[in-house]
Amino acid sequence: MLDGRPLVDVHLHPARLDTLKLPWKTWVQDFDSTELRGLYDGSAIDPVAFDELLAAEGVDIAIVLAEYSPKVTGIQAVEDMVALAGPRVRFAANVNPHLHHPVDDEVTRQLDLGAVALKVHPVHGGFAANDRALYPAYAICAERGVPVVVHCGTSTFPGALNQYADPVLLDDVLRDFRNLDIVLAHGGRGWWYDAAAFLALSNERVWIELSGLPPHRLPTYYARHNWARLTRRMIFGTDWPGIPGIASNARAVAALCPDEVTAALVLAGNAARVYGLDLA
């Protein structure tokens, strides 16, 4: 709990260092600290220290993300995320059609390990979100009621292909999988805030996820849209460790919400609904 409210952070990257392609300074950007380094036991995050950090930040549930993007960030295997899982920590699956074949077998394997979502990273993986090779994975998620999280925003990491972040590429997916929840990670960061907002306001299965977005700039990013309506379509996430702090971001986001009901939805309620989380 944070200030009496449940808090869910749906977007954390507890990277394993020996499989991370990027240099440490590039990965953490301006947020290096002795506290962050102290979470590591060798190349991996210590699960107990990580849980203590989350508890101190008021996080009830955190979702950590696997990633298979060898050309850009490296490989953060789902098994490494499973090692961090516990009462406070869940994890999301990740598939890359250039690496996983058949993709349906791999997404089934990762979901059976306990993943609560499927993340696809077109910008780092080098593929379009509407690539038909991903359709078997989307079909499994739709059948199981598991959301698909799509990186929808620019990346400054070397090798990133930002043309694949355009949310218009999801138009096919939304048409072909009408019961599939799609979470737009980074909310259209860069050039697509309006497109992401339009999708979220026009389709009850599309959600704006706030990771990597400075809270104080959100009203400017989405200035062309009804703020009261749009905030009810938002899900809190941070992109940890690339932030000043989880609690400080959550408080800043809550202060922007038009009322307490909306703040509760953004900080936890929407995530609980979409990701199937039990906040009790």
Coordinates of all heavy atoms in Angstrom, one line a residue, residues 25-102:
K25 N 25.9 1.6 -17.8 CA 25.6 3.1 -17.8 C 24.5 3.4 -18.8 O 23.6 4.2 -18.6 CB 26.8 3.9 -18.1 CG 27.8 4.0 -17.0 CD 28.9 5.0 -17.3 CE 28.4 6.4 -17.4 NZ 29.5 7.4 -17.6
T26 N 24.5 2.7 -19.9 CA 23.4 2.9 -20.9 C 22.1 2.4 -20.4 O 21.1 3.0 -20.6 CB 23.8 2.2 -22.3 OG1 25.1 2.7 -22.7 CG2 22.8 2.5 -23.3
W27 N 22.2 1.2 -19.8 CA 21.0 0.6 -19.3 C 20.3 1.4 -18.2 O 19.1 1.7 -18.3 CB 21.3 -0.8 -18.7 CG 20.2 -1.6 -18.1 CD1 20.0 -1.8 -16.8 CD2 19.1 -2.1 -18.8 NE1 18.8 -2.6 -16.6 CE2 18.2 -2.8 -17.8 CE3 18.7 -2.2 -20.2 CZ2 17.1 -3.4 -18.2 CZ3 17.5 -2.8 -20.5 CH2 16.7 -3.5 -19.5
V28 N 21.0 1.9 -17.2 CA 20.4 2.6 -16.1 C 20.3 4.1 -16.3 O 19.6 4.8 -15.6 CB 21.1 2.3 -14.8 CG1 21.1 0.8 -14.4 CG2 22.6 2.8 -14.8
Q29 N 20.9 4.6 -17.4 CA 20.9 6.0 -17.8 C 21.4 6.9 -16.6 O 22.5 6.7 -16.1 CB 19.5 6.4 -18.3 CG 19.1 5.5 -19.5 CD 17.8 5.8 -20.1 OE1 17.5 7.0 -20.3 NE2 17.0 4.8 -20.3
D30 N 20.5 7.8 -16.1 CA 20.9 8.7 -15.0 C 20.5 8.2 -13.6 O 20.6 8.9 -12.7 CB 20.3 10.0 -15.2 CG 20.7 10.7 -16.5 OD1 21.9 10.5 -16.9 OD2 19.9 11.4 -17.2
F31 N 20.2 6.9 -13.5 CA 19.6 6.4 -12.3 C 20.5 5.4 -11.5 O 20.0 4.6 -10.8 CB 18.2 5.9 -12.5 CG 17.3 6.9 -13.1 CD1 17.0 6.8 -14.5 CD2 16.8 7.9 -12.4 CE1 16.2 7.8 -15.1 CE2 16.0 8.9 -13.0 CZ 15.7 8.8 -14.3
D32 N 21.8 5.4 -11.8 CA 22.7 4.5 -11.1 C 22.8 5.0 -9.6 O 22.6 6.1 -9.3 CB 24.1 4.6 -11.7 CG 25.0 3.5 -11.3 OD1 24.5 2.6 -10.5 OD2 26.2 3.5 -11.7
S33 N 23.0 4.0 -8.7 CA 23.1 4.3 -7.3 C 23.7 3.1 -6.6 O 23.6 2.0 -7.1 CB 21.7 4.6 -6.7 OG 20.9 3.5 -6.7
T34 N 24.2 3.4 -5.4 CA 24.7 2.3 -4.6 C 23.6 1.3 -4.2 O 23.8 0.1 -4.0 CB 25.5 2.8 -3.4 OG1 24.6 3.7 -2.7 CG2 26.7 3.6 -3.8
E35 N 22.4 1.9 -4.0 CA 21.3 1.1 -3.6 C 20.9 0.1 -4.7 O 20.6 -1.1 -4.4 CB 20.1 2.0 -3.2 CG 20.2 2.8 -2.0 CD 21.1 4.0 -2.2 OE1 21.4 4.4 -3.3 OE2 21.5 4.7 -1.1
L36 N 20.9 0.6 -5.9 CA 20.6 -0.3 -7.1 C 21.6 -1.4 -7.2 O 21.3 -2.6 -7.3 CB 20.5 0.5 -8.4 CG 20.3 -0.2 -9.7 CD1 19.0 -1.1 -9.6 CD2 20.2 0.7 -10.9
R37 N 22.9 -1.0 -7.2 CA 23.9 -2.0 -7.3 C 23.9 -3.0 -6.1 O 24.2 -4.2 -6.3 CB 25.3 -1.3 -7.3 CG 25.5 -0.5 -8.6 CD 26.8 0.3 -8.6 NE 27.0 1.0 -9.8 CZ 27.8 0.7 -10.8 NH1 28.4 -0.5 -10.7 NH2 27.9 1.4 -11.9
G38 N 23.4 -2.6 -5.0 CA 23.4 -3.4 -3.8 C 22.3 -4.5 -3.9 O 22.3 -5.5 -3.1
L39 N 21.4 -4.4 -4.9 CA 20.4 -5.4 -5.1 C 20.9 -6.7 -5.7 O 20.3 -7.7 -5.7 CB 19.2 -4.9 -6.0 CG 18.4 -3.7 -5.4 CD1 17.4 -3.2 -6.4 CD2 17.7 -4.2 -4.1
Y40 N 22.1 -6.5 -6.3 CA 22.7 -7.6 -7.1 C 23.5 -8.6 -6.2 O 24.3 -8.2 -5.4 CB 23.5 -7.1 -8.3 CG 22.7 -6.7 -9.4 CD1 22.1 -5.4 -9.5 CD2 22.4 -7.6 -10.5 CE1 21.4 -5.0 -10.6 CE2 21.6 -7.2 -11.5 CZ 21.1 -6.0 -11.6 OH 20.3 -5.6 -12.7
D41 N 23.3 -9.9 -6.5 CA 24.2 -10.9 -6.0 C 24.9 -11.6 -7.2 O 24.3 -12.4 -7.9 CB 23.4 -11.9 -5.2 CG 24.2 -13.1 -4.6 OD1 25.4 -13.0 -4.7 OD2 23.6 -14.1 -4.2
G42 N 26.1 -11.0 -7.5 CA 26.7 -11.5 -8.8 C 26.0 -10.8 -9.9 O 25.8 -9.6 -9.9
S43 N 25.6 -11.6 -10.9 CA 24.9 -11.0 -12.1 C 23.4 -10.9 -12.0 O 22.8 -10.3 -12.8 CB 25.2 -11.9 -13.3 OG 26.6 -11.8 -13.7
A44 N 22.9 -11.5 -10.9 CA 21.4 -11.5 -10.8 C 20.9 -10.7 -9.6 O 21.6 -10.6 -8.6 CB 20.9 -13.0 -10.7
I45 N 19.7 -10.2 -9.8 CA 19.1 -9.5 -8.6 C 18.7 -10.5 -7.5 O 18.3 -11.6 -7.8 CB 17.7 -8.9 -9.1 CG1 18.0 -7.7 -10.1 CG2 16.9 -8.4 -8.0 CD1 18.3 -6.4 -9.4
D46 N 19.0 -10.2 -6.3 CA 18.7 -11.0 -5.2 C 17.2 -10.9 -4.9 O 16.7 -9.8 -4.7 CB 19.5 -10.6 -4.0 CG 19.1 -11.4 -2.7 OD1 19.5 -12.5 -2.6 OD2 18.3 -10.9 -1.9
P47 N 16.5 -12.0 -4.9 CA 15.0 -11.9 -4.8 C 14.6 -11.3 -3.5 O 13.6 -10.6 -3.4 CB 14.6 -13.4 -4.9 CG 15.7 -14.1 -5.6 CD 16.9 -13.4 -5.2
V48 N 15.3 -11.6 -2.4 CA 14.9 -11.0 -1.1 C 15.1 -9.5 -1.1 O 14.2 -8.8 -0.6 CB 15.6 -11.7 0.1 CG1 15.3 -11.0 1.4 CG2 15.3 -13.2 0.1
A49 N 16.2 -9.1 -1.5 CA 16.5 -7.6 -1.6 C 15.5 -6.9 -2.5 O 15.1 -5.8 -2.2 CB 18.0 -7.4 -2.0
F50 N 15.2 -7.5 -3.6 CA 14.2 -6.9 -4.5 C 12.9 -6.8 -3.9 O 12.2 -5.7 -4.0 CB 14.2 -7.8 -5.8 CG 13.3 -7.2 -6.9 CD1 13.6 -5.9 -7.4 CD2 12.3 -8.0 -7.5 CE1 12.8 -5.4 -8.4 CE2 11.6 -7.5 -8.6 CZ 11.8 -6.2 -9.0
D51 N 12.4 -7.8 -3.2 CA 11.1 -7.8 -2.5 C 11.1 -6.7 -1.4 O 10.1 -6.0 -1.3 CB 10.8 -9.1 -1.9 CG 9.4 -9.2 -1.3 OD1 8.4 -9.3 -2.1 OD2 9.3 -9.1 -0.1
E52 N 12.2 -6.5 -0.7 CA 12.3 -5.5 0.3 C 12.3 -4.1 -0.3 O 11.6 -3.2 0.2 CB 13.6 -5.7 1.1 CG 13.6 -6.9 2.0 CD 15.0 -7.2 2.6 OE1 15.9 -6.5 2.3 OE2 15.0 -8.0 3.5
L53 N 12.9 -3.9 -1.5 CA 12.8 -2.7 -2.2 C 11.4 -2.3 -2.6 O 10.9 -1.2 -2.3 CB 13.7 -2.7 -3.4 CG 13.4 -1.5 -4.4 CD1 14.0 -0.2 -3.9 CD2 14.0 -1.9 -5.8
L54 N 10.7 -3.3 -3.1 CA 9.3 -3.1 -3.5 C 8.4 -2.8 -2.4 O 7.5 -1.9 -2.4 CB 8.8 -4.3 -4.3 CG 9.5 -4.7 -5.6 CD1 9.0 -6.0 -6.1 CD2 9.2 -3.6 -6.7
A55 N 8.6 -3.5 -1.3 CA 7.8 -3.2 -0.1 C 8.0 -1.8 0.5 O 7.1 -1.1 0.8 CB 8.1 -4.3 1.0
A56 N 9.3 -1.4 0.4 CA 9.6 0.0 0.9 C 9.0 1.0 0.0 O 8.7 2.2 0.5 CB 11.1 0.1 1.0
E57 N 8.8 0.7 -1.3 CA 8.2 1.7 -2.2 C 6.7 1.6 -2.2 O 6.0 2.3 -2.9 CB 8.7 1.4 -3.6 CG 10.2 1.7 -3.8 CD 10.5 3.2 -3.8 OE1 9.7 4.0 -4.3 OE2 11.6 3.6 -3.2
G58 N 6.1 0.7 -1.4 CA 4.7 0.6 -1.3 C 4.0 -0.2 -2.3 O 2.8 -0.1 -2.5
V59 N 4.8 -1.1 -3.0 CA 4.2 -1.9 -4.1 C 3.6 -3.1 -3.6 O 4.3 -3.9 -2.9 CB 5.4 -2.2 -5.1 CG1 4.8 -3.1 -6.2 CG2 6.0 -0.9 -5.7
D60 N 2.4 -3.4 -3.9 CA 1.7 -4.6 -3.5 C 2.0 -5.7 -4.5 O 2.2 -6.9 -4.1 CB 0.2 -4.4 -3.5 CG -0.2 -3.4 -2.4 OD1 -0.3 -3.9 -1.2 OD2 -0.4 -2.2 -2.7
I61 N 2.0 -5.4 -5.8 CA 2.3 -6.4 -6.9 C 3.2 -5.7 -7.9 O 2.8 -4.6 -8.3 CB 1.0 -7.0 -7.5 CG1 0.2 -7.7 -6.5 CG2 1.4 -7.9 -8.7 CD1 -1.1 -8.3 -7.0
A62 N 4.2 -6.4 -8.3 CA 5.1 -5.9 -9.4 C 5.2 -7.0 -10.5 O 5.1 -8.2 -10.2 CB 6.5 -5.6 -8.9
I63 N 5.2 -6.5 -11.7 CA 5.3 -7.5 -12.8 C 6.7 -7.2 -13.5 O 6.9 -6.1 -14.0 CB 4.2 -7.3 -13.8 CG1 2.8 -7.6 -13.1 CG2 4.4 -8.2 -15.0 CD1 1.6 -7.4 -14.0
V64 N 7.5 -8.2 -13.5 CA 8.8 -8.1 -14.1 C 8.8 -8.8 -15.5 O 8.0 -9.7 -15.8 CB 9.9 -8.8 -13.3 CG1 10.0 -8.1 -11.9 CG2 9.6 -10.3 -13.0
L65 N 9.6 -8.2 -16.4 CA 9.4 -8.5 -17.8 C 10.6 -9.3 -18.4 O 11.8 -8.8 -18.3 CB 9.3 -7.2 -18.7 CG 8.1 -6.3 -18.2 CD1 8.1 -5.1 -19.1 CD2 6.8 -7.0 -18.2
A66 N 10.4 -10.5 -19.0 CA 11.4 -11.1 -19.8 C 11.5 -10.4 -21.1 O 10.7 -9.7 -21.5 CB 10.9 -12.6 -20.0
E67 N 12.7 -10.6 -21.7 CA 12.9 -10.0 -23.1 C 13.9 -10.8 -23.9 O 15.0 -11.2 -23.3 CB 13.3 -8.6 -23.0 CG 13.4 -7.9 -24.3 CD 13.6 -6.4 -24.3 OE1 13.3 -5.8 -23.2 OE2 14.1 -5.8 -25.2
Y68 N 13.5 -11.1 -25.1 CA 14.4 -11.8 -26.0 C 14.7 -10.9 -27.2 O 14.1 -11.0 -28.3 CB 13.7 -13.1 -26.5 CG 13.6 -14.2 -25.4 CD1 12.4 -14.1 -24.5 CD2 14.5 -15.1 -25.1 CE1 12.3 -15.0 -23.5 CE2 14.4 -16.1 -24.1 CZ 13.2 -16.0 -23.3 OH 13.1 -16.9 -22.3
S69 N 15.7 -10.0 -27.0 CA 16.0 -9.1 -28.1 C 17.6 -9.0 -28.2 O 18.2 -8.1 -27.8 CB 15.5 -7.7 -27.7 OG 14.1 -7.7 -27.5
P70 N 18.2 -10.1 -28.8 CA 19.6 -10.2 -28.7 C 20.3 -9.1 -29.5 O 21.5 -8.8 -29.2 CB 19.9 -11.6 -29.4 CG 18.6 -11.9 -30.2 CD 17.5 -11.2 -29.4
K71 N 19.7 -8.4 -30.5 CA 20.4 -7.4 -31.2 C 20.5 -6.1 -30.5 O 21.3 -5.2 -30.8 CB 19.7 -7.2 -32.6 CG 19.8 -8.3 -33.5 CD 19.2 -7.9 -34.9 CE 19.3 -9.1 -35.9 NZ 18.7 -8.7 -37.2
V72 N 19.6 -5.9 -29.5 CA 19.5 -4.6 -28.8 C 19.9 -4.7 -27.3 O 20.9 -4.1 -26.9 CB 18.2 -3.9 -29.0 CG1 18.1 -2.5 -28.3 CG2 17.9 -3.8 -30.5
T73 N 19.1 -5.4 -26.6 CA 19.3 -5.4 -25.1 C 19.9 -6.7 -24.6 O 20.3 -6.8 -23.5 CB 18.0 -5.1 -24.4 OG1 17.0 -6.1 -24.8 CG2 17.5 -3.7 -24.6
G74 N 19.8 -7.7 -25.4 CA 20.3 -9.1 -25.0 C 19.1 -9.9 -24.7 O 17.9 -9.7 -25.1
I75 N 19.3 -10.9 -23.9 CA 18.2 -11.9 -23.5 C 18.1 -11.9 -22.0 O 19.0 -12.1 -21.2 CB 18.5 -13.3 -24.0 CG1 18.4 -13.3 -25.5 CG2 17.6 -14.3 -23.4 CD1 18.8 -14.6 -26.2
Q76 N 16.9 -11.5 -21.5 CA 16.5 -11.7 -20.1 C 15.5 -12.8 -20.1 O 14.3 -12.6 -20.3 CB 15.9 -10.4 -19.6 CG 16.8 -9.2 -19.8 CD 18.1 -9.3 -18.9 OE1 18.0 -9.7 -17.7 NE2 19.2 -9.1 -19.5
A77 N 16.0 -14.0 -19.9 CA 15.2 -15.2 -20.0 C 14.0 -15.3 -19.0 O 14.1 -14.8 -17.9 CB 16.0 -16.4 -19.9
V78 N 12.9 -15.9 -19.4 CA 11.8 -16.0 -18.6 C 12.1 -16.8 -17.3 O 11.6 -16.5 -16.2 CB 10.6 -16.7 -19.3 CG1 10.9 -18.1 -19.6 CG2 9.3 -16.5 -18.5
E79 N 13.1 -17.7 -17.4 CA 13.5 -18.4 -16.2 C 14.1 -17.5 -15.1 O 13.9 -17.8 -13.9 CB 14.4 -19.6 -16.6 CG 13.8 -20.7 -17.3 CD 13.5 -20.5 -18.8 OE1 14.0 -19.4 -19.3 OE2 12.9 -21.3 -19.4
D80 N 14.8 -16.5 -15.6 CA 15.3 -15.5 -14.6 C 14.3 -14.7 -13.9 O 14.4 -14.3 -12.8 CB 16.3 -14.6 -15.3 CG 17.5 -15.3 -15.9 OD1 18.0 -16.3 -15.2 OD2 18.0 -15.0 -16.9
M81 N 13.1 -14.5 -14.6 CA 12.0 -13.8 -14.0 C 11.3 -14.7 -13.0 O 10.8 -14.3 -12.0 CB 11.1 -13.2 -15.1 CG 11.7 -12.3 -16.1 SD 12.5 -10.8 -15.3 CE 14.3 -11.2 -15.7
V82 N 11.2 -16.0 -13.4 CA 10.5 -16.9 -12.5 C 11.3 -17.0 -11.2 O 10.7 -17.1 -10.1 CB 10.5 -18.3 -13.2 CG1 10.0 -19.4 -12.2 CG2 9.6 -18.3 -14.4
A83 N 12.6 -16.9 -11.2 CA 13.4 -16.9 -10.0 C 13.1 -15.8 -9.1 O 13.4 -15.9 -7.9 CB 14.9 -16.9 -10.4
L84 N 12.6 -14.7 -9.6 CA 12.2 -13.5 -8.7 C 10.7 -13.6 -8.2 O 10.3 -12.8 -7.4 CB 12.4 -12.2 -9.5 CG 13.8 -11.9 -9.8 CD1 13.9 -10.7 -10.8 CD2 14.6 -11.6 -8.6
A85 N 10.0 -14.5 -8.8 CA 8.5 -14.5 -8.6 C 8.2 -14.9 -7.1 O 9.0 -15.7 -6.5 CB 7.8 -15.4 -9.5
G86 N 7.1 -14.4 -6.6 CA 6.7 -14.7 -5.2 C 5.4 -14.0 -5.0 O 4.7 -13.5 -5.9
P87 N 5.0 -13.9 -3.7 CA 3.7 -13.3 -3.4 C 3.6 -11.8 -3.9 O 2.5 -11.4 -4.3 CB 3.7 -13.3 -1.9 CG 4.6 -14.4 -1.5 CD 5.6 -14.4 -2.5
R88 N 4.7 -11.1 -4.0 CA 4.6 -9.7 -4.5 C 5.0 -9.6 -5.9 O 4.7 -8.5 -6.6 CB 5.6 -8.8 -3.6 CG 5.3 -7.3 -3.7 CD 6.4 -6.5 -3.0 NE 6.6 -7.0 -1.7 CZ 5.9 -6.6 -0.6 NH1 4.9 -5.7 -0.7 NH2 6.1 -7.1 0.6
V89 N 5.7 -10.5 -6.5 CA 6.3 -10.4 -7.8 C 5.6 -11.4 -8.8 O 5.6 -12.6 -8.5 CB 7.8 -10.6 -7.8 CG1 8.4 -10.4 -9.2 CG2 8.4 -9.6 -6.9
R90 N 5.1 -10.9 -9.9 CA 4.7 -11.8 -11.0 C 5.6 -11.5 -12.2 O 6.4 -10.6 -12.2 CB 3.2 -11.4 -11.4 CG 2.2 -11.4 -10.2 CD 1.9 -12.7 -9.6 NE 0.8 -12.6 -8.7 CZ 0.9 -12.3 -7.5 NH1 2.0 -12.0 -6.9 NH2 -0.2 -12.3 -6.7
F91 N 5.4 -12.2 -13.3 CA 6.2 -12.0 -14.4 C 5.4 -12.1 -15.7 O 4.4 -12.7 -15.8 CB 7.4 -13.0 -14.5 CG 7.0 -14.4 -14.6 CD1 7.0 -15.0 -15.9 CD2 6.7 -15.2 -13.5 CE1 6.6 -16.4 -16.0 CE2 6.3 -16.5 -13.6 CZ 6.3 -17.1 -14.9
A92 N 5.9 -11.5 -16.8 CA 5.3 -11.5 -18.1 C 6.2 -12.3 -19.0 O 7.4 -12.3 -19.0 CB 5.1 -10.1 -18.7
A93 N 5.6 -13.1 -19.9 CA 6.3 -13.8 -20.9 C 6.8 -12.9 -22.0 O 6.3 -11.7 -22.1 CB 5.3 -14.9 -21.5
N94 N 7.6 -13.4 -22.9 CA 8.1 -12.6 -24.0 C 8.4 -13.6 -25.1 O 9.1 -14.6 -24.9 CB 9.3 -11.8 -23.7 CG 9.8 -10.9 -24.8 OD1 10.6 -11.4 -25.6 ND2 9.3 -9.7 -24.9
V95 N 8.0 -13.3 -26.4 CA 8.4 -14.1 -27.5 C 8.9 -13.1 -28.6 O 8.5 -12.0 -28.7 CB 7.3 -15.0 -28.0 CG1 6.9 -16.1 -27.0 CG2 6.0 -14.2 -28.4
N96 N 9.8 -13.7 -29.4 CA 10.3 -13.0 -30.6 C 10.2 -13.9 -31.8 O 10.8 -15.0 -31.7 CB 11.8 -12.6 -30.3 CG 12.4 -11.8 -31.5 OD1 12.0 -12.0 -32.6 ND2 13.4 -11.0 -31.2
P97 N 9.4 -13.6 -32.8 CA 9.2 -14.6 -33.9 C 10.5 -14.9 -34.7 O 10.5 -15.9 -35.4 CB 8.2 -13.9 -34.8 CG 8.4 -12.4 -34.5 CD 8.7 -12.4 -33.0
H98 N 11.6 -14.1 -34.5 CA 12.8 -14.4 -35.1 C 13.6 -15.5 -34.4 O 14.5 -16.1 -34.9 CB 13.7 -13.2 -35.3 CG 13.1 -12.1 -36.1 ND1 12.6 -12.3 -37.3 CD2 13.0 -10.7 -35.9 CE1 12.2 -11.2 -37.9 NE2 12.4 -10.2 -37.0
L99 N 13.2 -15.7 -33.1 CA 13.9 -16.7 -32.3 C 13.1 -17.9 -31.9 O 13.6 -19.0 -31.8 CB 14.3 -16.0 -31.0 CG 15.3 -14.8 -31.0 CD1 15.6 -14.3 -29.6 CD2 16.6 -15.3 -31.7
H100 N 11.8 -17.7 -31.8 CA 10.9 -18.8 -31.3 C 10.0 -19.3 -32.4 O 9.3 -18.6 -33.0 CB 10.0 -18.2 -30.2 CG 10.8 -17.7 -29.0 ND1 10.7 -16.4 -28.6 CD2 11.7 -18.3 -28.2 CE1 11.5 -16.2 -27.5 NE2 12.1 -17.4 -27.3
H101 N 10.2 -20.6 -32.6 CA 9.4 -21.3 -33.6 C 9.2 -22.8 -33.1 O 10.2 -23.4 -32.8 CB 10.0 -21.3 -35.0 CG 9.2 -21.9 -36.0 ND1 8.1 -21.3 -36.6 CD2 9.2 -23.2 -36.6 CE1 7.5 -22.1 -37.5 NE2 8.2 -23.3 -37.5
P102 N 7.9 -23.2 -33.1 CA 6.7 -22.5 -33.3 C 6.4 -21.5 -32.2 O 6.6 -21.9 -31.0 CB 5.6 -23.5 -33.5 CG 6.3 -24.8 -33.3 CD 7.7 -24.6 -32.9

